[in-house]
Amino acid sequence: MCFSCVAFFLKSRKTAFIIFNLVSLVSFSQNISIDEAWALKDKQPEKAMKELNLSLLKFRKSNNHQLEAKTLSYIGVIEDIQGNSVRAIDHLLQAIKIQEKHKFLKDLSFSYNNLGIAHFYQFNYETALVYYKKSLEIDKKRQDLKGEAGTLINIGLIYTYIDSIPKAENNYKEALKVYTKLNDSTGLASTLNNLAKIEMGNNNISKAIEYYHSSISYLQNSTLIESKFTPYYGLANAYIKLNVPHKAVN
């Protein structure tokens, strides 16, 4: 094969390779929604971010404000999970600006809540509380019971960090009422576990044990070992405090 022919052949292959990659990328991006990309956040965060950023460009070009904002919010949460709180907060604030303007309330509640989480991990507890309360207001307005309960738990957690234990307990008990309405066993178990911790802190060991047993009862059908570990561990510590170690072992 002559040199010029080889050069043409290599150039053609390179061009074809570039075109193939572009076509593959476009086609892959078109086959995955932002919710599917979001579902990859834990196991494949880099892939999730790549797809979300591609979607963000697409939504901005098409002036799809709702999906643009939702994508910004998803990106912000993944940034926060990866420890990039500053970038997370920036993306979430961009999302909130759009969602507030267009009154995308469901998505706005999600963004407020996650902005609260980002500030929580920056130890900005008072700021986190402001955004959690904004989220809670929307959840109540929309009658989103699951969202309301989850936000009440977050607010309760903040109050434990700023030493407002009675307020924390009140929020947990409100969440307990909502989870009872929903018959949400996982939510009930988590909330009861949090109430048990408060009773342990107040040295009401017998009450803490009662809450821990209730929490465990809602986890009987759970296959998640991690969810069962916390109340069992708390229960063991409670029995040790009562000086009945044989119950802690069993």
Side-chain angles (χ1 to χ4, degrees):
M1 185 181 290
C2 66
F3 178 79
S4 59
C5 293
V6 171
F8 175 77
F9 176 72
L10 291 173
K11 184 178 178 183
S12 299
R13 281 191 65 185
K14 185 176 180 183
T15 304
F17 179 72
I18 292 170
I19 291 170
F20 173 77
N21 272 324
L22 286 172
V23 170
S24 299
L25 186 62
V26 170
S27 130
F28 180 65
S29 300
Q30 287 173 342
N31 289 334
I32 184 167
S33 69
I34 58 170
D35 289 321
E36 288 170 326
W38 169 249
L40 300 173
K41 69 183 184 300
D42 297 316
K43 293 183 178 179
Q44 296 176 278
E46 290 182 3
K47 185 175 181 180
M49 286 290 277
K50 179 181 177 181
E51 289 301 319
L52 288 169
N53 277 299
L54 285 169
S55 294
L56 183 60
L57 292 173
K58 180 177 71 175
F59 296 140
R60 279 177 170 165
K61 284 181 181 177
S62 63
N63 289 317
N64 190 328
H65 301 303
Q66 185 166 16
L67 289 181
E68 176 191 352
K70 190 173 183 179
T71 306
L72 281 165
S73 194
Y74 282 168
I75 290 171
V77 176
I78 296 173
E79 290 281 16
D80 197 38
I81 291 169
Q82 294 182 317
N84 304 320
S85 292
V86 174
R87 289 206 296 270
I89 289 169
D90 178 59
H91 280 94
L92 286 161
L93 284 172
Q94 287 182 57
I96 285 168
K97 186 176 180 181
I98 297 168
Q99 289 160 349
E100 285 179 338
K101 180 180 177 181
H102 296 280
K103 294 183 171 52
F104 300 138
L105 295 184
K106 181 180 179 181
D107 296 339
L108 181 57
S109 175
F110 176 87
S111 297
Y112 279 150
N113 216 310
N114 282 285
L115 186 55
I117 292 169
H119 278 291
F120 171 81
Y121 284 116
Q122 288 290 296
F123 311 107
N124 302 326
Y125 300 132
E126 296 289 351
T127 305
L129 189 57
V130 168
Y131 286 111
Y132 285 147
K133 286 183 175 180
K134 284 176 177 279
S135 177
L136 181 61
E137 186 181 345
I138 293 173
D139 292 337
K140 286 184 173 180
K141 185 176 182 179
R142 296 186 61 254
Q143 298 184 325
D144 178 358
L145 294 180
K146 195 171 183 70
E148 180 183 341
T151 306
L152 283 165
I153 293 292
N154 286 345
I155 291 172
L157 183 62
I158 288 289
Y159 280 130
T160 66
Y161 275 82
I162 59 177
D163 296 323
S164 297
I165 303 303
K167 288 184 179 180
E169 186 175 8
N170 287 340
N171 277 274
Y172 290 148
K173 285 182 176 179
E174 285 300 310
L176 197 64
K177 290 177 187 175
V178 179
Y179 280 131
T180 301
K181 283 182 186 177
L182 292 169
N183 195 26
D184 184 327
S185 57
T186 303
L188 285 165
S190 175
T191 309
L192 288 161
N193 185 66
N194 286 333
L195 284 166
K197 287 179 183 177
I198 285 180
E199 296 300 344
M200 286 288 285
N202 291 336
N203 210 32
N204 298 327
I205 310 303
S206 295
K207 187 64 177 176
I209 288 173
E210 184 183 326
Y211 277 134
Y212 279 131
H213 276 300
S214 294
S215 176
I216 290 165
S217 72
Y218 283 108
L219 293 170
Q220 293 305 312
N221 297 323
S222 176
T223 56
L224 296 173
I225 296 173
E226 298 87 351
S227 65
K228 292 182 177 181
F229 173 79
T230 305
Y232 275 117
Y233 181 77
L235 188 59
N237 283 333
Y239 281 128
I240 288 169
K241 281 201 171 190
L242 285 180
N243 200 27
V244 280
H246 64 282
K247 286 194 173 183
V249 173
N250 295 328

